[in-house]
Amino acid sequence: MGNPNDDLSRRKFVTRSLGCLAAASVAPGLSLADSSSTDPDKAATVPVMRKLGRTDIELPLVNAGAGAGMDPGLVIEAVDRGMRLFDTDARYQNGRHEQLLGSIFSKMGVRDKVVIMTKVHTPEQRAGLSPERSKALLYKTLEGCLRRLRTDRVDILLVHDVSSPGPIHDPAIMEAMSRIKAEGKARYIGTATHTNMAVAINATVAAEIYDVVFTAVNFTMADDTALMGAIENAAQKGVGVIAMKTQAGGYAFPNPATHREFSNELINSAALKWACHNENIATSVPGFANYDHLRANWAVALNPEYTEEEKRFLSDNRIKLGMEFCRQCRRCVASCPHKADVPTMMRTHMYVRQYADFGLARQTYDSIASDRGLTACESCGECTAQCAHSVNIRRKIEELKLVYG
Ligand code: SF4
């Protein structure tokens, strides 16, 4: 999958989508309309749908990432257009993102039509809290999520930011997550990973209690056979795979050379389509900072077929490297004499430079010391030569310092 030359026709997508749409719930008055149509010629108004693993949830190929930020109008338009899965997190905007979604869904009367996915962090548990304290903290965090989201249950609850089997298989976390599901406070449970994804996905599947895995994946990782294999394994075992970071940081790309041949719009749609073409990925939640981004993303849900130019972009390896997307592989960490958390700094850079989400960036930057016991960078430059994925670490860190001093 992911080969731009695949002739994955619109008709094939549509045929699959129409079967799913029959079972999809549609809010009265919402524009996921036309779902009664079985005429492929009217396909442009119908999103392609896929089932989320073994859950009973069916979703459009493209949904709403938390990058929608704090603009209520964007969330409303996303619902109106037909996006159904909304990604959030107990920590985003210090809980205000959950509050925003809860308020809008309640006012629109669409709580039963949307799928809310939120995430809880467990760094305290990982730092060695007693199992009882760990579980109590997780329940308390979830209670806060439910209150802010104005609901008595979330649809998907994820343990966020896992990169190794440790926290995924932690008995206290597994027990708490299982109990939350059994009590109906989360319909489905899972994990979220943007570091060491192949290992985290395989561990999630092996745990056998998780229904969903939310992973970073995009076209710059097409040659990562371990990751592609893990995604396939998850899908085969019925664990629903949801993609994030589909546009390798998205909308504003840090390397100007990339733009000499291809526009931002083309890069974004080609990248999103690449994720959609992998049938092991049930859906994606790209963020959008404005209405143009939202509409462009939704257009992919309606028609994921590649244009000739998009195929040309995706088959250009030089451009792929020029994206300078940090895969969070953490190989550079060992080379740093100061034990700096370079990958987290690269993610912070992406949030500042590409998402323009300064709140998320600050939170991520601040997590360097508290979550991992690692330090910030001393600018010695040792690491740049160590990146196998052509990320200009030093330049990005210098840019970050302009923001954080
Ligand atoms: S900067 Fe390069 S080596 Fe370091 S985590 Fe990112 S991709 Fe891996």
Side-chain angles (χ1 to χ4, degrees):
M1 296 310 297
N3 181 348
N5 295 320
D6 284 350
D7 182 21
L8 193 49
S9 72
R10 166 74 199 166
R11 187 169 292 266
K12 183 179 167 196
F13 270 121
V14 169
T15 306
R16 193 168 56 248
S17 78
L18 291 172
C20 297
L21 274 168
S25 35
V26 181
L30 298 181
S31 62
L32 188 59
D34 256 3
S35 55
S36 60
S37 169
T38 52
D39 179 356
D41 292 336
K42 291 186 182 171
T45 58
V46 180
V48 178
M49 306 285 283
R50 278 194 195 140
K51 194 158 178 296
L52 181 61
R54 58 176 168 250
T55 75
D56 66 353
I57 297 173
E58 286 173 294
L59 293 164
L61 282 182
V62 180
N63 288 280
M70 296 300 290
D71 181 342
L74 281 172
V75 179
I76 292 167
E77 171 134 351
V79 175
D80 277 344
R81 287 207 170 245
M83 290 184 180
R84 286 296 170 269
L85 172 63
F86 288 79
D87 168 43
T88 185
D89 184 292
R91 286 187 180 181
Y92 290 164
Q93 317 285 348
N94 292 319
R96 291 199 311 282
H97 190 257
E98 287 185 332
Q99 258 170 357
L100 176 84
L101 293 186
S103 164
I104 291 174
F105 296 153
S106 142
K107 282 179 186 148
M108 292 180 85
V110 295
R111 173 63 193 93
D112 292 337
K113 308 300 177 189
V114 295
V115 174
I116 298 177
M117 175 170 78
T118 196
K119 308 188 276 305
V120 289
H121 296 240
T122 58
E124 295 86 355
Q125 282 93 332
R126 295 175 212 181
L129 279 191
S130 71
E132 288 315 309
R133 289 277 318 276
S134 287
K135 286 185 274 183
L137 194 60
L138 216 149
Y139 300 138
K140 191 173 161 209
T141 306
L142 175 64
E143 289 306 326
C145 297
L146 297 176
R147 195 174 55 251
R148 290 186 292 273
L149 286 162
R150 301 192 193 184
T151 185
D152 56 2
R153 49 103 181 82
V154 293
D155 299 288
I156 302 169
L157 180 70
L158 305 177
V159 179
H160 194 28
D161 196 11
V162 291
S163 56
S164 65
I168 299 169
H169 295 165
D170 180 288
I173 293 174
M174 285 178 64
E175 190 188 322
M177 292 294 281
S178 299
R179 188 177 133 194
I180 285 166
K181 183 178 172 184
E183 288 176 350
K185 290 186 175 173
R187 289 172 62 208
Y188 299 106
I189 55 175
T191 68
T193 176
H194 38 55
T195 303
N196 209 13
M197 290 84 75
V199 169
I201 294 169
N202 286 331
T204 299
V205 174
E208 294 186 346
I209 65 161
Y210 299 112
D211 313 293
V212 172
V213 67
F214 184 32
T215 183
V217 58
N218 61 55
F219 70 100
T220 69
M221 306 170 190
D223 59 354
D224 187 337
T225 50
L227 176 58
M228 295 307 141
I231 287 173
E232 185 177 356
N233 177 45
Q236 281 175 357
K237 300 267 171 55
V239 175
V241 180
I242 302 174
M244 65 167 123
K245 312 273 187 296
T246 44
Q247 281 124 313
Y251 305 115
F253 297 99
N255 185 346
T258 316
H259 294 115
R260 289 193 195 122
E261 284 184 74
F262 301 100
S263 68
N264 263 0
E265 290 73 21
L266 182 136
I267 296 170
N268 275 290
S269 65
L272 187 51
K273 287 177 185 179
W274 181 89
C276 294
H277 276 237
N278 185 336
E279 292 190 40
N280 295 316
I281 296 173
T283 190
S284 57
V285 288
F288 36 83
N290 60 44
Y291 292 89
D292 288 343
H293 296 165
L294 191 166
R295 286 163 197 159
N297 288 349
W298 187 241
V300 172
L302 298 177
N303 181 9
E305 219 177 333
Y306 293 125
T307 65
E308 289 307 311
E309 270 303 274
E310 287 166 346
K311 286 183 190 173
R312 193 166 77 78
F313 167 75
L314 288 169
S315 49
D316 191 328
N317 236 0
R318 191 178 38 88
I319 295 274
K320 218 175 278 179
L321 287 174
M323 300 293 287
E324 290 194 11
F325 181 73
C326 171
R327 304 180 187 193
Q328 302 284 302
C329 70
R330 302 192 73 77
R331 278 184 216 145
C332 51
V333 172
S335 70
C336 177
H338 306 287
K339 298 273 174 279
D341 189 348
V342 173
T344 303
M345 284 187 280
M346 294 301 98
R347 205 145 46 84
T348 307
H349 183 277
M350 177 177 71
Y351 294 148
V352 171
R353 177 76 175 72
Q354 295 177 261
Y355 288 24
D357 187 335
F358 296 97
L360 183 58
R362 180 81 245 182
Q363 225 165 27
T364 306
Y365 192 74
D366 288 347
S367 77
I368 289 173
S370 61
D371 282 5
R372 306 184 201 285
L374 294 172
T375 61
C377 173
E378 300 284 337
S379 262
C380 70
E382 289 284 324
C383 52
T384 289
Q386 309 300 325
C387 178
H389 306 294
S390 299
V391 176
N392 189 333
I393 301 172
R394 185 150 198 197
R395 195 199 75 231
K396 288 191 175 188
I397 287 179
E398 289 306 320
E399 287 174 2
L400 258 191
K401 286 191 169 173
L402 295 175
V403 180
Y404 296 114

